[in-house]
Amino acid sequence: FPSTVRMAKLQEEQDAAVKIQASFRGKQDRQRTEALKVEQGIDGAHITKQTMRECLKILYLEGFNGLPSFTVAKAKQHVFHQQYVSHNNVVVPGATGPGAQGMANLVLEFTKPVSKMRWDVQEVLFARMAIGHKFVVVSTASGIPVKPFLGRNPTGRGFNFMAIDVQHVVDGKIKETWHIEALDDASAQMTDPDTDDKGVPPLHHGQPHNLGLSPQTEAGTQIAATEMPECLKSFYYKALNHDENFTAHAAAEILHAQWIRHPNTEDPGNMGPGSEGFFEMCLNFRKKIPDMRTDTRAVLRIPCETGVKYVHIGSVTGTTDGRIVGLELATPKSFHIMAIDIHLVVGNKIQESWQITDWESAIRQLSEDRVAKLHDGQRLNANAGTDLANQELTVTTCPSCLQILYLEGFNRKKSFTIPKAKTQVFHKKYVSHANVVTPGKNGPGGEGMAELVQSFTRNVPDMEWDVHEVLRIEMPIGEKYVMVSTASGTPTGPFLGVNSPVGKGFNFMAIDVHHVVDNRIKESWHIEELATAMEQMTSPDGPEGVPPLHHGQPHNFGRSPQTGPGAQIAASEMPECLKGFYYKALNHDEKFTAQAAAEILHSDWHSHPNAGGPGKVGPGSQGFFQTLENFFWKAIPDMKFETEAVLRVPCIYSAQVAAKYIHIGSVTGTTDGHFLGLELKNPRKFHIMAIDIHLVLGDKIKESWHIEDWPAAIQQLTDGKLPKLHDGQELRASAGGAKPKEEATLKEPTSEQQTKEKAQPTDGDIADDEREAAALKIQKLGRGKAARKKTQDLKAHKEKDDAAKKVQARVRGNRSRDGKGPGPGELRGWLWRRGPTADFKWAKRWAVLKDAKLEMYSDQACRTRKAYTHLRQNSRIVSFMDPNPLGEAAVHRRDVPFGFALDVDPKAGPGRKLIYFDTGSADNLEKWMQVFPQCIKQAARATLLEARSMVRVSILSSVDKAITRHETKNERSLAGQLVSSVVIRSVKRTDRRLARRLLFAYIIDWSNAQQPKEAKKLTKEEMLQLLEEGDSEQIKYVMKSADKDFALEAVRRNSAALQHLPKALRADREVVIEAVAGDGKVLEYADESMRADRDVAFIAVQQDGNALAYADETLKGDRELVLAAVIQSSDALNYASADLQDDDS
């Protein structure tokens, strides 16, 4: 039966194939299971110290236990990211860091003085993040110091404290850490006068820690504060924030009756204190810290066997006399510290909590004479790795133009120079409101504003300008940023009209609204409390030095973080409470009563400053009405507020959805001046600007920060002129393409207002204006018949140019050819554009690449333009996957493999703006990578054509002069030769301004002498202008005969000028210091004697760490110098001596 045999064999082969397939699938399943175990831990989601990530094992099992196997090299390679960030950074307080090497050294230094250091990991929790994972490591640390430890000498007594660390692990290394160790407990244990016991004390006086009793069951997540259960919201925002309605009954509703706290401060060593003990603890806090407030910075949700654990990272602020931390202060002071808590929530109540508050930092802050800042101003960034982080914005993460202005300019850093401000901070035609340089006119321009910043801070050597809050508003053109700051210092020379310093300082608030376009500030609306500053410096009863802000009233900046992009809205879109605030209350509506005030303001409304009770929190809705009735309505009976612009920013307040409204308005009124310290014979009028920020919660105003320009009112009331807002300068508060101003009556804008709004010039309009102005100047050069002929020829040439440009546009493909779609150098499609920093989201935009310009729209119909970028002849794009990526491109490789970075102007220096895009696919990336170079070539050709066109028009003028002044054939020929040489020289220059300058130099020189000769010698200012434009050939030319004074001014404007100076000046210490203060790397061009000068090298590496490469070899072994360089750039270690590179200490 052959067929039967064949069928049987076939069946056997099929069965074998099925088994093999099943085995293969089983192997795949096992591999997936193993991978999941590696990801989550060996036992499902439960992780122990033996199964946690390798980087954590090395840190906790080796590093914190003082094992010799933990070295700096090992930590850098296997534990920390190179740019590792610790919160709090105790190595360089306030700065982002300390980096991998800095943290490894810190671990070694911490464990070195302790004998038998034992760091036990008691529990490990983890949460999946959009980027990497966060691990919560709860440990106990014990040991006996044998050397000075925590500022205390060894006494034979040991310590035993708890620590909670939240580690953000990305690609197998720790990138960022939020940690608190109960060091105040350790200090108390080592110095306790009530015990003579030696050795290691029990943890929490013997109270069992209960860590690890409820293991994690699945991966955790990071959530918003609004997603916390109600029991936690009440715990933080009612109980700890001293809500008067929080009672013992309310405590029983959010806590289990037998609630356990670690440590139990109410009954040390025992379990408890229960819900009743918690309420007693709250009452105690109310007495010792009456204004205590806890704010949520991040929340992790971890499912466990018996319930859910919530890890809460928060900040705590308050004012105290110090008794709560064992201090005795003469006057109460404020503190601002971090706290990390873990709560086990079972059902709808908290069953157990582990809490650590950084009281050690509070003690330090209360003992110092300066404003308390969380982690000395270091950004907390607790939402790192999540989408929640995209809305957090600080001065260190906002656009670089704002960073330079606030961190360098207002804080008197040498790195802030006029050339830097002109090229990296302000638009050329920057407008300030008000313009105090040229009152009444739009200005003062980038250079004028840079000079104003320097002059404002010149006589205040200890100036501290701290940005406490940054809000971002998206605009059709660019973005608006609201910067809320405080400025403090003690003048040593004339300041704000106070000519004789008497040792008294100032401390005032400032609110600035900046319109930023293409990473340059185009326009600003700003008010500073200058009247307050003058009063502080001249008050006979005021304190010496820097006084407290607002008489000690807590400023509450940044407590309601932004949760989404802001928008500019019309006045009619404001909530009713704000309409009532401005158009009824402040505009003296007779129907506005105390009841009406209670309907628009929360009963505990806070005003900053509180004019009704300086230094106190308040004044509440009733206090607001009393201020109106007893003061404003009497002092300024006809006072009127008008809305100029309104910005709305969504935010969160105590886990509740809220919004902040920034109101830019104008104030008019008539007064006798008594409330401003004036004595006028007859009442006079004033017209000033005011900027307010209101936190609106529900349908009422919860808190307000406000500044009115009272110094301008004083000036108007005393100068006898008709008062005009900003001396007649147009306010333009809706600049950026948003909705126009509406009147206080909420009427629609008039046709005249609409026309005025539409008539605001764009960048293109400004460029056209410049060209027209240049043509008019040329036309005015001639006289009589020659001028008329010149005008006719100009018109004819312009017509020819226009016709030529149309032909060239068709040749280049700038228009669709025969209806077959876009030509070369043109492309349309969807792109995802990143925000100003890596923490921002990627916004989907319809991109149009055409005519050497990239425009971004919110819709495919191109109705709303979001951004535009003019390409230059040297612009370039580089793929994220390129071996040499640009800027932060390498950060996005993993998540955005098909992206590219656009470098608009590579010559702009290290602080230049880079724009990051995601194309979404490999095919799209290839298209954009192909088309962009074509479009960039068009930009180069367009620049050349502009230069040629300008030269052609200018040459026509010179030819007319030549024909007019030279009668003989030989002379005409000579003039023609001269003009030809100008053409050759100019057309080769693609820079338009340089071409114009060269041409005019030849024409003016020749015309004056009526014969050809060498170009006119440039003036000092013209040579300095060439330096700022950065043309290397021209820099060489102008620096040949430079003297010291000119050299100093030259390197201030362009540090690169140092390389072209004569050797004697490159050896001049003063000149070299000015140069390296602007760009450290120009140390390369300094004389050898200067490169061996330690002070010069120190200034260079502080500006750019990599300048260490050019320092003398003897200095590369200087530990302090190398450390300063590494702080600026970790790569600088590569240039240090071999001994320091191998030095693990």
Side-chain angles (χ1 to χ4, degrees):
F1 303 92
S3 59
T4 305
V5 174
R6 285 198 297 274
M7 290 294 291
K9 287 183 176 181
L10 182 61
Q11 185 64 41
E12 288 177 2
E13 291 174 356
Q14 289 177 343
D15 292 342
V18 169
K19 288 181 179 180
I20 292 171
Q21 290 174 352
S23 175
F24 181 71
R25 282 195 295 269
K27 183 178 180 180
Q28 285 183 318
D29 291 340
R30 287 193 297 276
Q31 288 175 342
R32 280 196 292 269
T33 302
E34 291 300 321
L36 187 63
K37 285 182 178 180
V38 171
E39 181 74 13
Q40 297 184 344
I42 300 301
D43 184 18
H46 178 47
I47 298 177
T48 66
K49 62 183 179 182
Q50 287 80 22
T51 60
M52 59 186 177
R53 292 289 174 87
E54 191 65 25
C55 59
L56 299 176
K57 284 184 183 180
I58 296 172
L59 176 61
Y60 287 94
L61 304 186
E62 298 179 26
F64 286 135
N65 279 289
L67 299 185
S69 57
F70 182 85
T71 64
V72 172
K74 186 174 185 178
K76 290 170 65 176
Q77 184 175 0
H78 299 293
V79 180
F80 302 108
H81 275 260
Q82 185 178 6
Q83 303 297 331
Y84 166 80
V85 178
S86 169
H87 304 274
N88 179 16
N89 177 10
V90 296
V91 178
V92 187
T96 300
Q101 181 162 334
M103 188 60 193
N105 285 327
L106 187 63
V107 171
L108 293 172
E109 291 174 8
F110 185 80
T111 58
K112 193 180 297 183
V114 182
S115 173
K116 300 179 182 179
M117 169 68 88
R118 181 171 179 177
W119 198 289
D120 291 329
V121 175
Q122 305 292 348
E123 185 168 20
V124 183
L125 309 170
F126 87 99
R128 283 202 185 97
M129 314 300 292
I131 301 174
H133 295 74
K134 281 184 179 172
F135 292 85
V136 182
V137 183
V138 191
S139 318
T140 56
S142 59
I144 303 173
V146 293
K147 294 181 180 180
F149 182 69
L150 298 180
R152 291 160 178 81
N153 293 321
T155 59
R157 296 176 183 173
F159 58 83
N160 196 344
F161 62 81
M162 181 171 67
I164 302 177
D165 306 333
V166 180
Q167 309 277 11
H168 185 202
V169 177
V170 179
D171 296 332
K173 290 185 180 181
I174 305 172
K175 187 174 183 180
E176 203 158 0
T177 304
W178 300 263
H179 60 97
I180 305 184
E181 299 77 29
L183 299 182
D184 55 318
D185 285 353
S187 298
Q189 291 166 346
M190 294 186 292
T191 58
D192 187 357
D194 298 329
T195 179
D196 294 326
D197 294 342
K198 304 289 184 179
V200 176
L203 178 71
H204 297 162
H205 299 276
Q207 178 189 5
H209 58 63
N210 288 359
L211 291 165
L213 297 183
S214 182
Q216 183 172 352
T217 55
E218 60 181 272
T221 57
Q222 186 154 336
I223 62 175
T226 51
E227 300 177 82
M228 289 194 301
E230 291 302 320
C231 57
L232 285 181
K233 292 179 183 177
S234 296
F235 184 91
Y236 287 106
Y237 309 135
K238 293 183 179 179
L240 296 185
N241 286 356
H242 301 345
D243 188 321
E244 295 179 355
N245 297 321
F246 188 81
T247 61
H249 178 71
E253 291 180 346
I254 65 170
L255 299 169
H256 282 266
Q258 302 303 318
W259 173 67
I260 301 172
R261 181 179 186 267
H262 304 272
N264 180 5
T265 54
E266 299 301 300
D267 188 9
N270 296 316
M271 290 298 188
S275 60
E276 292 184 2
F278 172 71
F279 183 69
E280 293 296 325
M281 186 173 71
C282 290
L283 294 178
N284 186 37
F285 272 123
R286 287 184 190 181
K287 294 178 182 178
K288 295 181 178 180
I289 314 175
D291 61 340
M292 187 174 76
R293 178 185 169 98
T294 300
D295 290 308
T296 300
R297 298 304 187 95
V299 184
L300 301 175
R301 181 184 184 276
I302 314 290
C304 298
E305 284 186 359
T306 58
V308 178
K309 284 183 178 176
Y310 291 88
V311 183
H312 181 277
I313 302 176
S315 61
V316 185
T317 58
T319 306
T320 178
D321 59 10
R323 286 180 295 169
I324 193 170
V325 289
L327 300 177
E328 292 184 6
L329 304 177
T331 57
K333 291 185 178 179
S334 296
F335 63 86
H336 194 178
I337 58 178
M338 182 170 71
I340 302 180
D341 307 332
I342 301 175
H343 301 281
L344 174 61
V345 176
V346 179
N348 58 356
K349 294 184 178 182
I350 306 171
Q351 180 172 294
E352 196 163 3
S353 301
W354 296 261
Q355 296 180 280
I356 307 182
T357 303
D358 190 9
W359 293 116
E360 191 77 6
S361 291
I363 294 171
R364 178 176 57 83
Q365 292 174 356
L366 293 170
S367 304
E368 296 175 346
D369 291 328
R370 57 175 179 169
V371 178
K373 301 178 189 176
L374 178 63
H375 295 168
D376 293 285
Q378 180 187 7
R379 181 194 179 201
L380 193 60
N381 196 32
N383 285 315
T386 73
D387 290 337
L388 299 172
N390 293 336
Q391 306 303 336
E392 288 189 7
L393 201 60
T394 67
V395 68
T396 58
T397 58
C398 60
S400 61
C401 60
L402 296 173
Q403 293 185 41
I404 295 170
L405 176 60
Y406 285 89
L407 299 180
E408 299 179 23
F410 288 136
N411 280 288
R412 298 183 79 248
K413 303 296 183 184
K414 286 187 176 181
S415 55
F416 182 83
T417 62
I418 291 177
K420 185 175 185 178
K422 289 171 62 178
T423 57
Q424 300 181 38
V425 179
F426 301 107
H427 274 260
K428 180 180 179 181
K429 295 194 174 183
Y430 166 80
V431 178
S432 170
H433 301 276
N435 176 11
V436 297
V437 178
T438 51
K441 298 180 180 180
N442 283 334
E447 184 171 358
M449 190 60 192
E451 291 174 348
L452 185 62
V453 170
Q454 289 185 336
S455 65
F456 183 80
T457 61
R458 185 172 293 127
N459 290 333
V460 190
D462 61 341
M463 171 73 84
E464 284 194 22
W465 198 291
D466 296 320
V467 177
H468 298 278
E469 187 167 16
V470 182
L471 304 173
R472 173 177 167 268
I473 295 89
E474 290 186 352
M475 306 294 291
I477 300 175
E479 297 168 314
K480 281 185 178 175
Y481 289 86
V482 181
M483 316 290 284
V484 187
S485 320
T486 56
S488 60
T490 306
T492 57
F495 184 72
L496 297 179
V498 181
N499 296 320
S500 301
V502 291
K504 293 185 178 182
F506 58 85
N507 195 345
F508 62 79
M509 178 174 67
I511 301 177
D512 308 332
V513 180
H514 298 290
H515 184 204
V516 177
V517 179
D518 294 334
N519 198 23
R520 301 273 185 88
I521 306 174
K522 189 172 184 180
E523 203 158 0
S524 301
W525 299 263
H526 59 96
I527 307 184
E528 300 78 27
E529 289 181 318
L530 301 185
T532 298
M534 289 186 283
E535 181 184 356
Q536 291 169 337
M537 292 186 293
T538 57
S539 174
D541 301 326
E544 296 294 318
V546 175
L549 179 71
H550 297 160
H551 299 277
Q553 178 188 3
H555 57 62
N556 292 355
F557 299 133
R559 287 184 167 180
S560 305
Q562 182 171 354
T563 57
Q568 187 155 317
I569 63 173
S572 57
E573 298 176 82
M574 289 194 300
E576 292 302 319
C577 59
L578 286 181
K579 293 177 185 177
F581 184 88
Y582 286 105
Y583 309 139
K584 294 182 180 179
L586 295 184
N587 285 357
H588 199 170
D589 187 324
E590 294 180 355
K591 297 179 181 178
F592 189 81
T593 62
Q595 177 62 33
E599 292 176 357
I600 65 171
L601 300 169
H602 282 264
S603 59
D604 59 347
W605 173 69
H606 294 176
S607 171
H608 303 271
N610 178 6
K616 299 179 181 179
V617 175
S621 59
Q622 296 307 306
F624 172 69
F625 182 74
Q626 290 172 7
T627 303
L628 290 175
E629 191 174 37
N630 299 329
F631 179 69
F632 276 115
W633 289 350
K634 292 180 179 179
I636 316 172
D638 61 342
M639 184 172 70
K640 182 177 181 181
F641 269 75
E642 291 191 1
T643 300
E644 304 287 344
V646 185
L647 309 173
R648 182 188 183 277
V649 177
C651 62
I652 186 171
Y653 177 85
S654 297
Q656 301 177 70
V657 176
K660 282 182 178 175
Y661 292 85
I662 297 89
H663 182 278
I664 302 176
S666 60
V667 190
T668 58
T670 307
T671 179
D672 58 12
H674 287 303
F675 81 99
L676 295 172
L678 302 176
E679 293 184 4
L680 304 177
K681 293 182 179 179
N682 299 308
R684 292 181 180 174
K685 293 183 177 295
F686 64 85
H687 192 179
I688 60 174
M689 181 171 71
I691 302 180
D692 308 331
I693 301 176
H694 300 283
L695 173 64
V696 176
L697 181 64
D699 56 354
K700 295 182 180 181
I701 306 172
K702 180 72 174 178
E703 200 161 3
S704 302
W705 298 261
H706 60 94
I707 308 180
E708 299 79 27
D709 192 5
W710 294 121
I714 294 172
Q715 182 181 355
Q716 293 173 356
L717 293 170
T718 54
D719 64 11
K721 298 179 182 178
L722 181 67
K724 294 181 181 178
L725 178 63
H726 295 167
D727 294 285
Q729 179 188 6
E730 186 182 2
L731 194 59
R732 303 198 309 194
S734 293
K739 298 180 179 181
K741 164 190 169 181
E742 293 184 82
E743 295 298 332
T745 54
L746 306 183
K747 294 180 180 179
E748 290 297 321
T750 64
S751 58
E752 181 182 353
Q753 289 173 329
Q754 291 174 333
T755 303
K756 187 181 295 184
E757 185 71 16
K758 292 177 181 177
Q760 291 183 6
T762 63
D763 286 344
D765 295 333
I766 292 171
D768 291 339
D769 291 344
E770 289 178 348
R771 285 192 285 272
E772 289 175 10
L776 288 173
K777 287 182 181 179
I778 294 169
Q779 290 175 8
K780 292 178 181 178
L781 291 174
R783 295 291 186 272
K785 182 178 178 181
R788 289 192 295 273
K789 184 178 184 299
K790 190 188 314 176
T791 303
Q792 295 172 357
D793 289 339
L794 281 170
K795 185 176 180 181
H797 275 274
K798 187 177 184 305
E799 292 175 354
K800 291 179 181 179
D801 283 345
D802 291 342
K805 286 179 181 177
K806 290 179 181 179
V807 174
Q808 290 162 355
R810 287 196 293 271
V811 171
R812 292 197 305 266
N814 286 338
R815 295 185 176 184
S816 299
R817 296 169 297 174
D818 303 324
K820 296 180 181 179
E826 182 179 341
L827 187 62
R828 293 177 174 84
W830 289 107
L831 289 177
W832 285 260
R833 173 174 170 158
R834 198 198 77 177
T837 69
D839 293 332
F840 276 73
K841 289 183 178 180
W842 297 76
K844 187 176 181 181
R845 298 285 184 255
W846 179 254
V848 177
L849 182 64
K850 181 180 178 181
D851 293 339
K853 183 168 65 175
L854 177 64
E855 297 180 297
M856 312 297 291
Y857 296 90
S858 60
D859 57 335
Q860 198 167 346
C862 301
R863 285 187 292 264
T864 305
R865 187 170 72 176
K866 289 291 185 180
Y868 69 96
T869 303
H870 288 284
L871 302 180
R872 305 188 179 196
Q873 57 182 344
N874 60 341
S875 299
R876 59 174 180 151
I877 65 166
V878 179
S879 167
F880 286 177
M881 306 308 292
D882 191 275
N884 299 308
L886 292 176
E888 299 174 342
V891 177
H892 302 299
R893 280 181 171 176
R894 180 176 177 183
D895 302 319
V896 187
F898 307 118
F900 65 85
L902 171 60
D903 189 355
V904 179
D905 186 7
K907 292 183 179 180
R912 67 187 184 275
K913 178 182 179 181
L914 299 176
I915 310 174
Y916 301 91
F917 297 97
D918 179 16
T919 63
S921 69
D923 291 340
N924 288 338
L925 176 61
E926 185 177 0
K927 289 179 184 177
W928 287 98
M929 295 293 289
Q930 288 177 352
V931 176
F932 249 106
Q934 299 174 13
C935 194
I936 291 169
K937 287 181 181 178
Q938 291 179 9
R941 283 197 292 269
T943 303
L944 182 59
L945 285 170
E946 284 184 6
R948 285 177 175 170
S949 176
M950 184 167 294
V951 169
R952 189 181 299 117
V953 172
S954 301
I955 289 172
L956 178 62
S957 171
S958 65
V959 170
D960 285 337
K961 289 185 178 182
I963 293 173
T964 303
R965 297 187 180 187
H966 297 273
E967 300 299 333
T968 67
K969 182 177 181 181
N970 291 336
E971 288 175 332
R972 289 186 182 181
S973 175
L974 201 59
Q977 290 175 16
L978 174 62
V979 172
S980 297
S981 69
V982 175
V983 173
I984 293 170
R985 287 288 302 275
S986 299
V987 171
K988 289 181 180 179
R989 304 285 186 184
T990 56
D991 184 282
R992 185 174 64 204
R993 289 176 297 174
L994 185 56
R996 185 171 60 213
R997 182 176 292 107
L998 289 171
L999 181 67
F1000 285 168
Y1002 271 83
I1003 292 174
I1004 292 171
D1005 184 79
W1006 173 79
S1007 300
N1008 290 340
Q1010 298 187 7
Q1011 59 181 0
K1013 59 166 65 172
E1014 293 183 0
K1016 172 188 173 184
K1017 185 177 180 180
L1018 299 177
T1019 66
K1020 178 180 177 181
E1021 190 56 39
E1022 286 173 330
M1023 289 190 286
L1024 291 172
Q1025 183 66 30
L1026 288 175
L1027 286 171
E1028 291 182 13
E1029 291 169 2
D1031 187 286
S1032 59
E1033 293 299 321
Q1034 292 301 313
I1035 292 176
K1036 289 180 183 178
Y1037 169 73
V1038 300
M1039 299 307 293
K1040 283 180 181 178
S1041 58
D1043 56 19
K1044 182 174 178 179
D1045 291 339
F1046 181 79
L1048 284 170
E1049 184 63 28
V1051 296
R1052 287 189 190 110
R1053 298 204 183 194
N1054 189 335
S1055 296
L1058 181 66
Q1059 72 179 106
H1060 302 298
L1061 287 173
K1063 184 175 181 179
L1065 290 174
R1066 284 187 280 117
D1068 187 289
R1069 198 167 187 269
E1070 188 177 356
V1071 173
V1072 175
I1073 286 176
E1074 285 289 350
V1076 299
D1079 183 357
K1081 286 185 179 178
V1082 300
L1083 183 64
E1084 176 185 4
Y1085 309 118
D1087 186 76
E1088 292 181 1
S1089 61
M1090 291 296 99
R1091 283 185 276 157
D1093 188 310
R1094 188 176 185 275
D1095 292 338
V1096 172
F1098 216 98
I1099 293 172
V1101 300
Q1102 284 182 322
Q1103 204 285 328
D1104 188 328
N1106 291 321
L1108 184 65
Y1110 309 115
D1112 190 81
E1113 291 299 322
T1114 58
L1115 296 177
K1116 294 180 180 179
D1118 187 311
R1119 177 185 291 273
E1120 188 177 355
L1121 180 69
V1122 172
L1123 179 60
V1126 171
I1127 289 173
Q1128 292 296 323
S1129 172
S1130 57
D1131 293 337
L1133 188 62
N1134 298 327
Y1135 308 119
S1137 65
D1139 293 340
L1140 286 183
Q1141 289 187 25
D1142 297 334
D1143 190 344
D1144 292 340
S1145 64

